[in-house]
Amino acid sequence: MRFTIISKNDEKSKKTRSYITNELEKRGMKEDKIKPEIIISIGGDGTLLGAFHMYQHLLTETMFVGVHTGNLGFYADFHPEESDLLIDLIDRREFVKTEFPLVHVKVHTDDGEENHLALNETTLKMVQGSTLAIDVGIGGKPFEKFRGDGICISTPSGSTAYNKSLGGALIHPSFQSIQLTEIASINNRVFRTIGSSIILPSHHTLNVYPNKNDTHLLTIDHLHFQLNGISSIEYKVAEETIKFARFRHFPFWHRVRESFISS
């Protein structure tokens, strides 16, 4: 099996990376940074997000597994002290593929069209922190006029991240959906929004129409883009999915409990 490892730059992660690399190569596996069959992320969720964006062009050909060396690793199944177990399981190919939905973001600007994929979430805000003013449509029909700090569109797995801190719902990754959550919306007798999160199925499309004369800040997970002349942005459940190699049963709600409730 061809593998590659993306690790955080701290000593614990680098030491774990070196050990796993050496042991996998001893078993006849080959490190391949160009077309890996499995990508091992060592660090936290930020490390896995970086690995996802580095290899998103290979989503149909590769899968991910996480080793947690940070403070919170929602996507990780293993700890460094379990490295030998992970190595054995990879060697024996004892895994099942689990697929999680992604958000597809299509941005129309004066310069053309650009497309992005987000694993956790994408947000739209103003660059200087001023009020974001957009028209929101669902399924090609007008829905509301939003005024506030911004909007967050998350995947089910990303619902536990920024979306949760905004008061959005937690959604099981088996649901093919995206979620729109407001960021400090203005609600008075002049401006009025729905005020709660909206969950859209895979056959629905969310459209936003900003002021083309404004400069906007678009985030895709940890990436930031400053854009001018945006005429519209389309959000929907992506046709692509991210595949995780699951070597043992680790239910979503157990992850939620371990991450946010258990001490």
Side-chain angles (χ1 to χ4, degrees), residues 171-184:
I171 303 176
H172 195 281
S174 62
F175 287 93
Q176 297 290 315
S177 62
I178 59 174
Q179 180 173 185
L180 166 65
T181 303
E182 300 175 356
I183 305 174

Side-chain angles (χ1 to χ4, degrees), residues 30 81 117 147 157 177 217 261:
K30 178 183 178 183
E81 58 269 22
L117 292 175
R147 302 292 185 275
S157 59
S177 62
L217 180 65
I261 299 175

Side-chain angles (χ1 to χ4, degrees), residues 23-49:
E23 291 301 311
L24 288 177
E25 288 181 336
K26 285 180 183 178
R27 299 182 185 220
M29 282 169 267
K30 178 183 178 183
E31 184 170 15
D32 186 344
K33 297 180 180 180
I34 306 301
K35 294 194 71 174
E37 296 173 84
I38 188 168
I39 298 164
I40 304 169
S41 168
I42 302 176
D45 286 346
T47 308
L48 193 137
L49 287 171

